[in-house]
Amino acid sequence: GQQVMQIPQYQHVQEGEDFTTYCNSSTTLSNIQWYKQRPGGHPVFLIQLVKSGEVKKQKRLTFQFGEAKKNSSLHITATQTTDVGTYFCAGITSGTYKYIFGTGTRLKVLA
Amino acid sequence: DVKVTQSSRYLVKRTGEKVFLECVQDMDHENMFWYRQDPGLGLRLIYFSYDVKMKEKGDIPEGYSVSREKKERFSLILESASTNQTSMYLCASSLWGGNTEAFFGQGTRLTVV
């Protein structure tokens, strides 16, 4: 079945350092979404990417969808302690209703 | 705001018991999902439903069943709970199709002893 992998699984950074998580799908995606789960919380939607090569920014967060629509990345510039949590990508294949989540990247930010 | 409510935050059940996890959403969403979350494995899809009485298997349906008799309610059933079903269970809903955001409940941490 369709698989979505994320790397790294864990990342510890000093506050102010940059952070990137990568998402790779075994199949071509229709669109990809990103979610953030704070410790003890539930996943919360951040953004959706639809077009090949699309880049979107939300303040210090930059999201990119690969040209082949099989991979994506989330980059955080100058991390803050509020960025702590687990970041998930979710791939959606055309013609389905299934959101296949990646394995997640857990980010810790050291003050 | 969309609200997805799961019936219990924490649950402890015995091996072999039949367990019901309930999920209710209040925004008339077409799609509803059940995931389990385990460390290092991310969110794995158990079952989903795109309409009342409609259901489809996800990636790990074994040992589970679901029921969707009303649009707002999606139940996950563990027919005979086993210790390997100890996990965090998350319910989610989305408006329609696969290009709208999913809203999650607060999760149910189930322990099977």
Side-chain angles (χ1 to χ4, degrees):
Chain A
Q2 179 187 355
Q3 291 187 353
V4 179
M5 302 299 294
Q6 271 182 265
I7 56 169
Q9 189 174 354
Y10 300 99
Q11 184 88 54
H12 293 184
V13 299
Q14 287 290 136
E15 189 173 21
E17 290 182 341
D18 292 356
F19 159 77
T20 305
T21 174
Y22 300 90
C23 181
N24 292 287
S25 170
S26 59
T27 59
T28 302
L29 300 171
S30 171
N31 48 300
I32 195 160
Q33 299 177 350
W34 285 91
Y35 292 77
K36 177 183 178 181
Q37 183 177 27
R38 295 182 185 275
H42 57 271
V44 175
F45 175 82
L46 292 175
I47 207 161
Q48 174 169 269
L49 304 170
V50 179
K51 298 176 184 175
S52 169
E54 188 171 13
V55 178
K56 284 189 176 180
K57 293 192 175 186
Q58 285 180 350
K59 297 182 180 177
R60 295 178 294 106
L61 279 61
T62 302
F63 304 84
Q64 190 165 6
F65 202 5
E67 294 289 341
K69 300 185 78 173
K70 293 182 75 173
N71 57 70
S72 182
S73 64
L74 158 59
H75 179 82
I76 303 178
T77 303
T79 54
Q80 299 175 359
T81 53
T82 53
D83 295 324
V84 163
T86 302
Y87 292 86
F88 292 98
C89 62
I92 297 96
T93 305
S94 179
T96 77
Y97 304 92
K98 291 165 62 171
Y99 296 64
I100 302 299
F101 279 78
T103 44
T105 296
R106 186 173 171 185
L107 173 65
K108 282 195 173 180
V109 179
L110 307 171
Chain B
D1 279 354
V2 173
K3 195 159 186 186
V4 180
T5 304
Q6 294 182 229
S7 52
S8 304
R9 190 79 172 97
Y10 299 95
L11 212 51
V12 179
K13 295 292 181 180
R14 294 192 180 277
T15 301
E17 274 194 79
K18 191 168 186 175
V19 181
F20 293 87
L21 302 183
E22 307 284 349
C23 176
V24 176
Q25 50 94 3
D26 66 356
M27 282 301 288
D28 205 34
H29 282 178
E30 304 291 334
N31 300 336
M32 295 190 76
F33 309 84
W34 276 107
Y35 293 89
R36 65 176 280 178
Q37 182 173 17
D38 301 287
L41 299 177
L43 300 168
R44 293 182 291 167
L45 182 62
I46 305 171
Y47 268 97
F48 69 102
S49 169
Y50 53 89
D51 201 352
V52 175
K53 297 191 185 293
M54 304 303 288
K55 59 187 179 185
E56 284 200 27
K57 293 180 180 179
D59 297 320
I60 52 165
E62 297 78 18
Y64 303 94
S65 62
V66 290
S67 172
R68 193 165 180 203
E69 296 296 317
K70 293 185 177 181
K71 192 174 185 180
E72 67 271 18
R73 186 179 296 270
F74 192 36
S75 303
L76 180 68
I77 303 153
L78 286 67
E79 296 291 340
S80 177
S82 64
T83 54
N84 62 15
Q85 292 178 310
T86 291
S87 186
M88 171 67 83
Y89 290 87
L90 288 161
C91 174
S93 72
S94 68
L95 184 56
W96 58 271
N99 62 356
T100 55
E101 67 178 280
F103 293 86
F104 283 83
Q106 77 277 25
T108 296
R109 183 162 294 282
L110 172 67
T111 303
V112 183
V113 298

